[in-house]
Amino acid sequence: MKSLKKFLKKKKYAKIPLELTETHHFAITAKINGTSGRFILDTGASNTCVSFDKIEFFKLTSEASEIKAAGAGATNMETLISTKNRIEIGQWKKKKLQIVLFDLVHVNEALTSHKALPVDGIIGADVLIKAKAVIDYGKRCVYLK
């Protein structure tokens, strides 16, 4: 049987390295609107998110949102929405990405309390589904098409 890497390469997938953090999350580097940042890859997050304090950093425009965010022990958090953003993860690119903006202080406090580096946001299932992602946990990489 062919290796997963060879099979996915033949199918035109891009291989992206993942970093296993001290908290056993996978961290990934991605560019939003041309600016590089550090993100957690989260299959359980329905949307890709960026922290409120990174709005200017990633050149995001935002508008009010009715969506309430929840996760990592916090619930009912206020959010903003940013539309028409570009994302690049390795060779994979997507235009017109909607990003949910909310306060990630609680996430970064949890990470840094375990001696992990803070993140700028979360890559969620919305991107993973669009990219037809295949995660290779053993090789610590994700393949995107």
Side-chain angles (χ1 to χ4, degrees):
M1 185 168 129
K2 286 185 182 179
S3 72
L4 178 63
K5 179 181 175 179
K6 287 180 184 176
F7 175 78
L8 293 174
K9 186 176 181 180
K10 186 177 179 181
K11 299 284 186 185
K12 308 282 191 224
Y13 277 77
K15 180 181 176 183
I16 315 298
L18 297 172
E19 173 199 341
L20 188 62
T21 70
E22 296 294 326
T23 56
H24 290 183
H25 291 94
F26 278 128
I28 191 168
T29 300
K31 284 185 181 179
I32 294 183
N33 300 327
T35 303
S36 193
R38 179 179 168 84
F39 296 82
I40 286 184
L41 187 74
D42 189 347
T43 61
S46 55
N47 297 292
T48 293
C49 307
V50 167
S51 183
F52 280 146
D53 64 343
K54 299 295 180 173
I55 290 173
E56 289 180 23
F57 181 73
F58 289 114
K59 304 170 197 91
L60 302 169
T61 57
S62 61
E63 56 190 60
S65 169
E66 297 292 320
I67 298 170
K68 298 290 183 192
T75 59
N76 217 26
M77 295 179 290
E78 296 295 322
T79 64
L80 297 172
I81 294 290
S82 179
T83 57
K84 298 179 184 172
N85 297 291
R86 294 181 329 276
I87 186 167
E88 299 174 44
I89 305 173
Q91 298 298 314
W92 184 84
K93 298 173 185 177
K94 181 73 177 165
K95 294 179 181 177
K96 298 181 183 177
L97 176 68
Q98 177 177 287
I99 297 173
V100 174
L101 307 166
F102 74 105
D103 189 353
L104 285 175
V105 168
H106 66 288
V107 171
N108 281 322
E109 283 176 353
L111 289 170
T112 57
S113 73
H114 288 90
K115 298 182 174 48
L117 294 172
V119 295
D120 300 310
I122 297 165
I123 302 297
D126 57 340
V127 166
L128 299 174
I129 290 167
K130 286 177 188 171
K132 300 179 182 175
V134 176
I135 301 171
D136 186 335
Y137 289 89
K139 302 283 186 189
R140 294 184 182 174
C141 63
V142 61
Y143 294 91
L144 306 176
K145 185 173 184 175

